[in-house]
Amino acid sequence: MSHKLRVGELQAFYLTEEEVWRFFTIVLTTKSKKSATYKYGLLKAMIENLYQVDSEGEVTYDQLAYSFAKIYWNLVIHHDLEQGTRGSAVVKRLLEISEEHQIPKDITFDRLDPPIQIKAAKRIKSVMKTNVFGALYGDTRGSFYAFDHKKERFRFNGYVLTFMRKYQRLLVDLVNYHMAKMIEQLNAVPHINYLLGKVESIAQRSTLKPFERVLMQYFEERCFYCKKSLGKGNVQTHVDHFIPWSFVQSDHLWNLVLSCSTCNTSKNDRLPVREFLDDVVTRNEQLLNYEDLVIRDQDLSNYEEKKMVHLYEYSIQNGYEGTWFP
Ligand SMILES: [Zn+2]
């Protein structure tokens, strides 16, 4: 049984796009039993970590478990979509934590105290080891990734990584759709009202305040786009995803900039014109000079200029046009 494996080597290295599509179709449409939504959870966690990999294409179990815990916390605790999955190990662990700390239902994952987030991710990680990594590995016949429970490392097949970045927007929609379809079968009204919207937003943060504090600490309080001075008079400070969140599906400090409310609102879900790409690359070089920050932020320590440039190019390929300017 593949889900019992402790180590999974890559079984295929080279894959054509057609082969990757075939695996995705099988994984997304095959009906399996009760732990069924896990594969969608892992795919969402993988998507969230596409730009958090190191130069070998690896991410740690902690990174994936954090994403996975966030997705299920928001689904199970925040949106109360637990029926049918009540007995599942992930749901059980999260309910235990929410009861232990008496956390009200309306609290989203990113509003939990960091030690509670870490505790949740740690418990979820052990469930992932027994029920999740091996299962999707088996469904894709070991062609998507390698994993090692002892080292707690997960390594993407390079072709799959490129494929997922290239078709990211479509994959996000496909995974959300199939996940929602399954949740709908397992739960009842009113919980499933506006279900697709709930599933689309389970990975999203409700606040970027912690990032704002970090950026304010290291940079002049100016709008990245129009250079207006922030925090004075009526000029509110916002944190903007340089590449829209709807595409990148995660929050990296290197993709976040301070902006005024006018620019943030007018930019909305759009990509800025290319000249700002050079500016953000330069800004990130400055970020990397702050050693204390790089040590604290694992995501930043994996940053390379080409990640930003690729992300910009992939977002254009995925239908975002770089046409917004202040
Ligand atoms: Zn501005």
Side-chain angles (χ1 to χ4, degrees):
M1 291 286 281
S2 56
H3 70 271
K4 301 280 182 212
L5 287 174
R6 301 182 56 79
V7 178
E9 304 275 356
L10 265 189
Q11 298 301 322
F13 181 63
Y14 178 75
L15 291 174
T16 62
E17 285 197 351
E18 199 187 333
E19 286 167 322
V20 185
W21 273 124
R22 199 180 311 141
F23 277 122
F24 262 106
T25 310
I26 294 168
V27 168
L28 289 172
T29 56
T30 313
K31 305 238 182 315
S32 31
K33 296 180 297 301
K34 70 176 193 167
S35 57
T37 64
Y38 287 175
K39 62 184 175 186
Y40 304 122
L42 180 55
L43 287 169
K44 282 177 84 65
M46 285 162 69
I47 290 170
E48 195 172 314
N49 284 279
L50 287 178
Y51 291 89
Q52 254 156 301
V53 297
D54 66 10
S55 54
E56 305 292 312
E58 287 193 5
V59 281
T60 63
Y61 278 20
D62 286 332
Q63 287 170 278
L64 289 169
Y66 184 90
S67 302
F68 202 85
K70 178 178 67 177
I71 289 164
Y72 277 93
W73 180 277
N74 292 341
L75 196 66
V76 171
I77 311 289
H78 182 61
H79 290 306
D80 209 8
L81 287 161
E82 66 192 57
Q83 289 178 43
T85 49
R86 188 174 260 286
S88 100
V90 166
V91 174
K92 227 170 11 200
R93 299 291 185 286
L94 294 178
L95 285 170
E96 276 163 20
I97 291 175
S98 113
E99 277 154 29
E100 266 169 45
H101 296 273
Q102 304 190 344
I103 299 163
K105 289 239 175 236
D106 59 333
I107 302 291
T108 52
F109 188 77
D110 62 310
R111 290 191 183 272
L112 297 173
D113 283 340
I116 299 179
Q117 291 179 343
I118 291 166
K119 189 171 170 184
K122 215 173 147 192
R123 292 196 194 168
I124 294 308
K125 183 168 73 177
S126 73
V127 180
M128 291 177 84
K129 282 182 171 179
T130 42
N131 291 320
V132 183
F133 290 123
L136 186 62
Y137 176 86
D139 288 347
T140 57
R141 294 204 213 125
S143 65
F144 273 25
Y145 56 84
F147 64 90
D148 187 326
H149 284 358
K150 200 162 167 227
K151 294 184 186 149
E152 301 200 332
R153 311 273 310 171
F154 175 107
R155 182 160 47 87
F156 280 89
N157 179 337
Y159 290 98
V160 174
L161 184 68
T162 304
F163 178 94
M164 290 182 75
R165 287 174 173 175
K166 192 169 166 191
Y167 298 107
Q168 187 169 341
R169 198 179 192 185
L170 271 179
L171 293 175
V172 166
D173 286 349
L174 281 170
V175 173
N176 286 342
Y177 169 79
H178 286 284
M179 190 173 191
K181 204 166 144 188
M182 179 157 293
I183 293 168
E184 195 178 68
Q185 288 167 358
L186 300 170
N187 292 271
V189 176
H191 303 294
I192 56 171
N193 291 347
Y194 308 108
L195 182 61
L196 198 51
K198 288 175 184 172
V199 171
E200 280 174 341
S201 64
I202 44 176
Q204 194 162 18
R205 278 178 200 266
S206 53
T207 171
L208 293 169
K209 274 277 165 207
F211 293 102
E212 182 183 322
R213 279 193 288 272
V214 174
L215 291 171
M216 298 273 254
Q217 192 186 337
Y218 291 93
F219 292 95
E220 233 187 313
E221 295 173 27
R222 272 181 198 288
C223 174
F224 177 78
Y225 302 106
C226 72
K227 315 293 178 221
K228 209 184 291 166
S229 193
L230 297 170
K232 289 188 188 117
N234 307 327
V235 188
Q236 278 183 332
T237 307
H238 284 214
V239 176
D240 180 62
H241 289 91
F242 180 79
I243 308 281
W245 185 88
S246 66
F247 179 63
V248 71
Q249 298 275 311
S250 53
D251 312 291
H252 309 285
L253 187 59
W254 49 264
N255 186 44
L256 294 169
V257 294
L258 294 174
S259 91
C260 69
S261 51
T262 315
C263 286
N264 187 244
T265 311
S266 105
K267 177 173 173 281
N268 193 13
D269 196 29
R270 286 183 289 170
L271 194 65
V273 290
R274 200 163 185 115
E275 62 184 82
F276 286 114
L277 176 62
D278 300 331
D279 293 350
V280 83
V281 164
T282 312
R283 193 288 307 259
N284 287 340
E285 274 167 27
Q286 288 172 293
L287 268 182
L288 292 179
N289 286 332
Y290 298 112
E291 263 177 56
D292 54 327
L293 193 59
V294 178
I295 292 165
R296 257 188 326 187
D297 190 321
Q298 193 181 18
D299 196 12
L300 204 55
S301 59
N302 279 333
Y303 172 80
E304 290 171 86
E305 180 182 327
K306 67 174 188 217
K307 274 192 192 179
M308 189 80 237
V309 177
H310 283 165
L311 190 55
Y312 190 87
E313 280 159 3
Y314 281 127
S315 57
I316 291 174
Q317 281 191 36
N318 277 267
Y320 292 81
E321 290 166 42
T323 52
W324 178 83
F325 59 93

